[in-house]
């Protein structure tokens, strides 16, 4: 898919970019000279505030509502990026969700569909659309994809979020398999696996104080900040990581 560039800057799409790690990636990318598009699902006010903040500072940035678990909305999101910027150089698959803490025997099919839809189906759909634009096989210039995984994928999240952990394990497999598919087509695919990071996700799971409860098990003795995860994501997007693909980088304080 050949696009007619409307921006001189490289263009990055960040899904779920209105808050937390996503917003930190958006801000960090803008500071490094990217033009940035990001999606949001429910937090319109936060998305608009972030666009206004960055636009006032001279950034090229726009936001669009999209539920990445819905194929039609993913197609509309990428079409909007095409129309607004005329190019794509990178994707950060950040959008995802978890549900309230529960044991596996308490989980119903609707919950599983929501968790797997947002974290797995959404990552696949967005990666697919990015490859169609980035791959030299399709007339693209190459680029980079960074998926957001989680240390939960290898810790299991027993008694809390086994479904979320399983979804992030699928993201790890997507990362490795896709990296091997498209490496010769100019695309690097990597993932970042955050540990206990100070975002609203813990409140979404029903325990706002989860970091305080668990941080003593972290060798560095504290929870992380979204900006610390964003730094890893931005490095993997950069030419400094030009020989890195198919990797999952832990940002978890040693846990």
């Amino acid at each position: 898919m050949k696009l007619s560039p409307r921006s001189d800057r490289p263009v990055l799409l960040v899904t779920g970019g209105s808050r937390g790690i996503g917003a930190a990636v958006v801000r960090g990318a803008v500071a490094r000279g990217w033009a940035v598009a990001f999606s949001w699902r429910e937090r319109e006010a936060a998305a608009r505030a972030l666009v206004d903040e960055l636009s006032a500072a001279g950034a090229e940035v726009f936001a669009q509502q999209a539920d990445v678990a819905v194929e039609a909305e993913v197609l509309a999101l990428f079409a909007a990026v095409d129309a607004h910027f005329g190019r794509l150089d990178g994707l950060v698959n950040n959008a995802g969700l978890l549900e309230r803490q529960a044991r596996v025997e308490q989980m119903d099919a609707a919950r599983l569909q929501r968790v797997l839809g947002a974290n797995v189906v959404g990552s696949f759909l967005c990666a697919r659309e990015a490859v169609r634009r980035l791959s030299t096989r399709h007339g693209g210039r190459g680029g980079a994809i960074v998926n957001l995984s989680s240390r939960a994928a290898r810790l299991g999240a027993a008694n809390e979020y086994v479904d979320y952990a399983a979804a992030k394990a699928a993201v790890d497999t997507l990362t490795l398999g896709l990296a091997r598919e498209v490496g010769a087509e100019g695309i690097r695919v990597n993932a970042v696996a955050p540990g206990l990071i100070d975002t609203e996700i813990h409140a979404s799971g029903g325990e706002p104080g989860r970091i305080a409860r668990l941080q003593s098990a972290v060798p560095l003795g504290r929870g992380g900040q979204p900006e610390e995860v964003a730094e890893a994501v931005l490095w993997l997007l950069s030419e400094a990581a030009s020989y890195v693909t198919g990797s999952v980088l832990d940002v978890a304080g040693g846990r």
Side-chain angles (χ1 to χ4, degrees), residues 195-199 202 210-226 228-229 251-253 255:
L196 292 169
I197 307 301
D198 188 9
T199 71
H202 304 287
R210 184 168 178 265
I211 289 178
R213 174 170 64 87
L214 295 175
Q215 66 185 2
S216 63
V218 178
L220 291 186
R222 63 175 178 86
Q225 295 300 312
E228 293 175 301
V229 180
V251 182
R255 182 171 181 262

Side-chain angles (χ1 to χ4, degrees), residues 47-239:
R48 299 306 174 200
L50 183 57
V51 169
D52 290 346
E53 169 198 327
L54 297 175
S55 296
E60 292 183 65
V61 59
F62 91 98
Q64 169 140 332
Q65 184 177 23
D67 182 343
V68 297
V70 178
E71 186 171 23
E73 296 190 22
V74 171
L75 292 173
L77 172 63
F78 277 81
V81 175
D82 296 342
H84 196 92
F85 289 124
R87 64 183 291 175
L88 183 69
D89 301 277
L91 165 69
V92 177
N93 258 327
N94 172 72
L97 60 81
L98 55 71
E99 302 261 330
R100 293 183 71 85
Q101 295 172 350
R103 288 169 54 93
V104 170
E105 72 262 29
Q106 299 169 313
M107 298 177 184
D108 61 18
R111 170 184 170 135
L112 296 175
Q113 289 166 350
R114 289 191 297 270
V115 171
L116 295 176
N119 295 289
V120 182
V121 175
S123 293
F124 267 86
L125 292 175
C126 291
R128 181 193 73 190
E129 292 305 307
V131 168
R132 289 175 175 177
R133 290 159 173 78
L134 299 177
S135 170
T136 56
R137 183 179 182 180
H138 298 293
R141 299 176 299 274
I145 297 172
V146 179
N147 298 319
L148 265 293
S149 178
S150 172
R151 278 293 290 154
R154 281 168 282 168
L155 295 174
N159 301 303
E160 294 183 325
Y161 320 111
V162 174
D163 51 348
Y164 177 80
K168 292 303 187 180
V171 169
D172 288 351
T173 301
L174 165 63
T175 299
L176 177 58
L178 185 59
R180 293 180 175 181
E181 278 191 0
V182 300
E185 300 167 20
I187 305 173
R188 296 183 300 103
V189 185
N190 293 287
V192 171
L196 292 169
I197 307 301
D198 188 9
T199 71
E200 296 177 21
I201 197 168
H202 304 287
S204 299
E207 187 184 0
R210 184 168 178 265
I211 289 178
R213 174 170 64 87
L214 295 175
Q215 66 185 2
S216 63
V218 178
L220 291 186
R222 63 175 178 86
Q225 295 300 312
E227 292 75 16
E228 293 175 301
V229 180
E231 286 294 325
V233 171
L234 293 163
W235 178 74
L236 287 170
L237 288 169
S238 77
E239 284 302 310

